[in-house]
Amino acid sequence: MKRILIFSLLIITSFAAQTAKGQDDPVVMTINGKPVKQSEFVYSYKKNNGPDVLEQKTVKEYVDLFINYKLKVEAALDAKLDTLTSYNKEFRQYRDQQVLPTMINDADVELEAQKIYDDTKKRIGPDGLVLPEHILLMTGQNPSDSLMNASKQRADSLYAVIQKGGDFEALAKQYSQDPGSAQRGGEIGWISKGQTLKGFEDAAFALKKGEVSQPVLTEVGYHIIKMKDKKQLEPYDSLRDDIYKFIERRNLRTQIAQNRLKAIAEAKGVSTEQVMDERADSISAIDQDMKYLIKEYHDGLLLYEASNREVWEKAAKDEAGLNKFFKKNKKKYKWDEPRFKGIAYHTKDIADVAAVKKAVKGKKFDEWAKVLRSTFNNDSVLRIRVEKGIFKKGDNALVDKMEFGVADAKVKPVKNFPNDAVYGKMLKAPEEMGDVKALVTADYQESMEKDWIKKLRAKYPVEVKWEMIDKLNITPNE
């Protein structure tokens, strides 16, 4: 999903035709010999300069961003990143999410809905559906004779009360030991044969509407059953809307489409991947929205792979480069207030307060966590609890109290670790790259990207038809 988020920050996205079929759609620029149509550029500009964008660009300002995107895609293609197995697998995944639903139409869903109805009707059978109520007196597994006798006597007593006009629903709420149905006056819900205990089922289906059974013994206890209603399954037309809701709720459209895909592949004697490729090509030929949405996935994933290799991952792993960049730009990384670089920790044993300090003294800061883990928490018994970091005032109550001198800082006790302590040093400014690594990495990546784009601009020819750009009369919020 992180890559999908990146797409919204990129330039070209799904293409909705800006001109009617047959209208003029001139080329506004050529990048590495490949033409870019006006409609593609206009749609891209509008999508990336909508009302939610913090810094909107003019059309001329946007041209450079668009070109940079296209150049990165060209670099990815030249590096043959589109031939990677991992890339193709991910591209197909995103593409197929859009293409698969087109394998079926409304008629296919209607057939599935009818099939669900027919299967349900067959399962229910001629005996139809019943709506029983019951009062359950549970006996449990392997009950004693005394428990069985007591349950039987109570069941007989309740049955006698009902026979004399007692309110079945009220008695169920008071005495039934089936908590789910008791609060509904004993009502279980509509059931068909095969959905419940055999003994209960035989007794229930034998009752007429309004009749009450004598106590019936099943594996769970004694039941007194009242038949509230009986019916046959309603006609398809009256249940159609409910069946469609069931299909949507269970995401059965996808299953229907997958079944159709497999059937087509088997009939043609080809793989499902080949069928999906053909389907994507045929839809793209007649539907420009789909064509350019698929292109978005294709190019967006390529750009991610190329940017990761050339900038993001490359910069993050270049420790030497990061340190050099930090030293060169050290004045840029300042804090508006001091920081405490160290640990706030809690120990079970008072002696470990000093032991922790001794363990990390003289070690590199980024090694502290490993040292403490191997020294104090290397088995199932935890001796210390530690929070390591570069803290500003307000980040940690213990640090606030013991280092920043916040007298009213409320330190929450840590259960089973009563001894509180801190260890480290106060810094007025970052002393090494690791103190501000996230900021340095981001800036280093930005610097590397600028260098990369400069090389791409020198490598790939770009021709912008400014006379066509100047004719575009569009605003960001159109």
Side-chain angles (χ1 to χ4, degrees), residues 97 104 115 211 228 253 267-268 320 417 433 435 445:
Q97 287 176 355
I104 59 173
K115 181 179 181 298
E211 285 186 338
K228 187 174 183 179
R253 283 181 182 267
K268 290 186 174 183
F417 296 84
M433 184 273 294
D435 297 341
Q445 288 172 337

Side-chain angles (χ1 to χ4, degrees), residues 103-166:
M103 300 296 296
I104 59 173
N105 53 34
D106 291 343
D108 295 314
V109 180
E110 178 67 20
L111 285 174
E112 181 66 19
Q114 185 69 59
K115 181 179 181 298
I116 290 172
Y117 175 82
D118 292 341
D119 290 345
T120 302
K121 188 173 182 179
K122 182 179 180 181
R123 176 178 58 78
I124 290 173
D127 293 316
L129 298 162
V130 296
L131 182 62
E133 300 173 324
H134 80 147
I135 299 172
L136 171 63
L137 301 176
M138 298 183 69
T139 57
Q141 295 182 347
N142 303 316
S144 63
D145 291 341
S146 60
L147 176 59
M148 287 294 292
N149 290 334
S151 297
K152 180 63 166 63
Q153 289 177 9
R154 174 174 285 188
D156 288 340
S157 297
L158 288 170
Y159 177 71
V161 172
I162 294 167
Q163 290 297 101
K164 292 178 181 179

Side-chain angles (χ1 to χ4, degrees), residues 10 20 31 45 57 61 77 89 115 119 145 150 174 178 233 274 303 312 317 345 378 387 417 434 452 462:
L10 304 181
I31 298 175
Y45 172 77
K57 303 291 184 182
E61 288 173 335
L77 291 171
K89 181 179 179 180
K115 181 179 181 298
D119 290 345
D145 291 341
Q174 184 175 358
D178 176 4
L233 185 65
Q274 287 175 287
L303 186 142
W312 303 329
K317 292 182 177 180
Y345 62 104
N378 61 350
E387 184 178 353
F417 296 84
W452 183 34
V462 175

Side-chain angles (χ1 to χ4, degrees), residues 321-426:
L322 287 168
N323 279 297
K324 183 178 179 180
F325 186 86
F326 171 74
K327 291 176 181 178
K328 183 179 179 180
N329 300 278
K330 191 172 182 179
K331 292 181 179 180
K332 177 181 178 181
Y333 302 104
K334 296 180 180 180
W335 292 325
D336 54 0
E337 58 182 340
R339 300 287 196 273
F340 175 73
K341 181 179 181 179
I343 54 174
Y345 62 104
H346 316 271
T347 71
K348 285 186 175 182
D349 191 330
I350 188 65
D352 279 339
V353 171
V356 166
K357 298 176 182 179
K358 183 178 179 180
V360 298
K361 187 176 182 180
K363 304 290 193 307
K364 292 182 179 180
F365 186 64
D366 58 4
E367 297 176 352
W368 285 17
K370 182 179 180 181
V371 170
L372 293 174
R373 187 166 50 250
S374 62
T375 305
F376 298 94
N377 294 338
N378 61 350
D379 53 30
S380 59
V381 179
L382 301 180
R383 291 166 56 187
I384 64 173
R385 298 288 295 272
V386 181
E387 184 178 353
K388 172 179 172 285
I390 299 177
F391 306 91
K392 64 179 183 299
K393 188 185 295 185
D395 285 347
N396 182 285
L398 184 57
V399 173
D400 285 351
K401 182 176 182 179
M402 301 186 75
E403 292 294 328
F404 289 106
V406 181
D408 59 349
K410 296 181 180 179
V411 179
K412 187 177 180 180
V414 179
K415 186 178 180 181
N416 299 324
F417 296 84
N419 307 294
D420 302 328
V422 297
Y423 181 70
K425 59 183 175 180
M426 296 293 293

Side-chain angles (χ1 to χ4, degrees), residues 261-275:
L261 173 62
K262 292 177 183 177
I264 293 174
E266 289 175 1
K268 290 186 174 183
V270 298
S271 67
T272 55
E273 288 80 6
Q274 287 175 287
V275 175

Side-chain angles (χ1 to χ4, degrees), residues 170-181:
L171 291 170
K173 289 180 180 180
Q174 184 175 358
Y175 294 107
S176 179
Q177 295 175 321
D178 176 4
S181 67

